[in-house]
Amino acid sequence: CLVTVGAALQDLRGTGRFVNSRMGSVYIVKPKMHGPREVALTCSIFGRAEEFFGLRRNTIKMGIMDEERRTSANLRECIRAAAERVFFINTGFLDRTGDEIHTCMLAGPVVQKADMKKQKWIKAYEDANVDIGLFSGFQGKGQIGKGMWAKPDSMKAMLEAKIAEPMAGASTAWVPSPSAAALHSIHYHRVDVTTRQMQLAMRPPAKVESLLEPPLLQELPDKQAIEHELRENAQSILGY
């Protein structure tokens, strides 16, 4: 936090060639927070950093990465804890899946990676993030994001698939490169996100019971499938 804010001082003081924030803010996206207590702790740390640099209160804005089960289940309270700072919430499939596995691993083996996106919890997770963001007043004021496209060499597939994110209510998303960002921007010309968010705000909110349903295997795969899963995920960890 201190290093980031220190690097941003030239922007706040207007001594750089370009201006990053028209409102004189520093934007920090904070990952890996487990629930509202850790969000509140981060707010406190940001406040101390502001005191250290002599900045006005709430100069440092916070993006909340919804990557942990405890945060997902308590996202509304996390936003409340950072109400004076939060500018962004986001989902992330890979990190959130890792925490889901870590949370329920003692209950038994989980489904294979290819089947994870078919589970009830992931749909509830993605929907609830948008539902709570809209309920909390993010439309037109803050950003509701979706996760990274993890295949930097597959831009054609990204162009075909990632339009689903603004259709799901996202106003921004992670991409792996400037070229991917330029391509993904096309989706926001094709989808009127404000109108789409207004439509989604009319649906029933996602159920927390679905969010908390563990993605456990119903029957064990054979040895060959297990070895394939291990190799594939080892490669994914190296690439990520």
Side-chain angles (χ1 to χ4, degrees):
C1 178
L2 289 175
V3 172
T4 302
V5 177
L9 288 179
Q10 67 168 355
D11 183 62
L12 298 178
R13 293 168 179 167
T15 57
R17 290 178 58 196
F18 305 103
V19 176
N20 183 60
S21 173
R22 289 172 293 180
M23 304 304 293
S25 295
V26 178
Y27 302 93
I28 297 178
V29 174
K30 185 67 173 68
K32 307 294 184 293
M33 293 187 291
H34 292 258
R37 288 188 177 183
E38 292 192 10
V39 173
L41 173 62
T42 300
C43 284
S44 177
I45 293 170
F46 283 5
R48 295 294 296 274
E50 288 162 348
E51 292 175 9
F52 180 82
F53 286 107
L55 302 174
R56 72 180 188 278
R57 181 174 171 78
N58 296 324
T59 293
I60 307 172
K61 302 300 191 291
M62 184 194 302
I64 298 174
M65 291 291 286
D66 179 3
E67 298 178 317
E68 316 297 338
R69 202 180 209 227
R70 199 181 310 169
T71 296
S72 302
N74 298 280
L75 182 59
R76 191 180 297 182
E77 181 63 16
C78 291
I79 292 171
R80 189 201 66 77
E84 296 180 319
R85 297 184 184 274
V86 65
F87 72 96
F88 167 87
I89 57 173
N90 187 78
T91 57
F93 170 70
L94 291 175
D95 294 271
R96 181 63 180 80
T97 299
D99 190 68
E100 188 69 21
I101 294 169
H102 181 260
T103 300
C104 65
M105 63 191 300
L106 293 181
V110 301
V111 299
Q112 292 166 262
K113 184 177 178 181
D115 295 326
M116 193 60 79
K117 286 193 174 182
K118 303 173 187 176
Q119 303 303 301
K120 284 185 178 181
W121 78 266
I122 188 70
K123 185 178 188 312
Y125 163 62
E126 295 285 357
D127 288 351
N129 187 273
V130 174
D131 294 342
I132 293 169
L134 295 176
F135 177 85
S136 302
F138 274 63
Q139 187 179 40
K141 296 179 181 178
Q143 297 282 14
I144 299 174
K146 293 293 180 186
M148 174 64 79
W149 179 260
K151 302 174 184 177
D153 296 325
S154 302
M155 291 294 97
K156 183 176 183 292
M158 188 201 77
L159 193 59
E160 293 170 351
K162 213 165 171 66
I163 195 170
E165 293 175 353
M167 286 299 296
S171 56
T172 188
W174 297 104
V175 289
S177 67
S179 298
L183 290 171
H184 185 45
S185 69
I186 295 171
H187 297 141
Y188 297 97
H189 291 283
R190 293 179 176 173
V191 178
D192 185 335
V193 174
T194 300
T195 299
R196 184 60 183 150
Q197 287 179 340
M198 291 173 68
Q199 293 169 346
L200 293 171
M202 304 293 288
R203 71 185 176 189
K207 294 182 178 180
V208 71
E209 291 85 357
S210 298
L211 179 72
L212 299 176
E213 185 168 320
L216 300 176
L217 269 177
Q218 299 304 308
E219 57 183 66
L220 290 175
D222 58 35
K223 182 179 179 181
Q224 185 177 358
I226 293 172
E227 289 180 353
H228 176 269
E229 190 75 359
L230 286 170
R231 289 196 192 97
E232 185 174 287
N233 283 286
Q235 184 61 39
S236 295
I237 291 169
L238 287 173
Y240 194 63

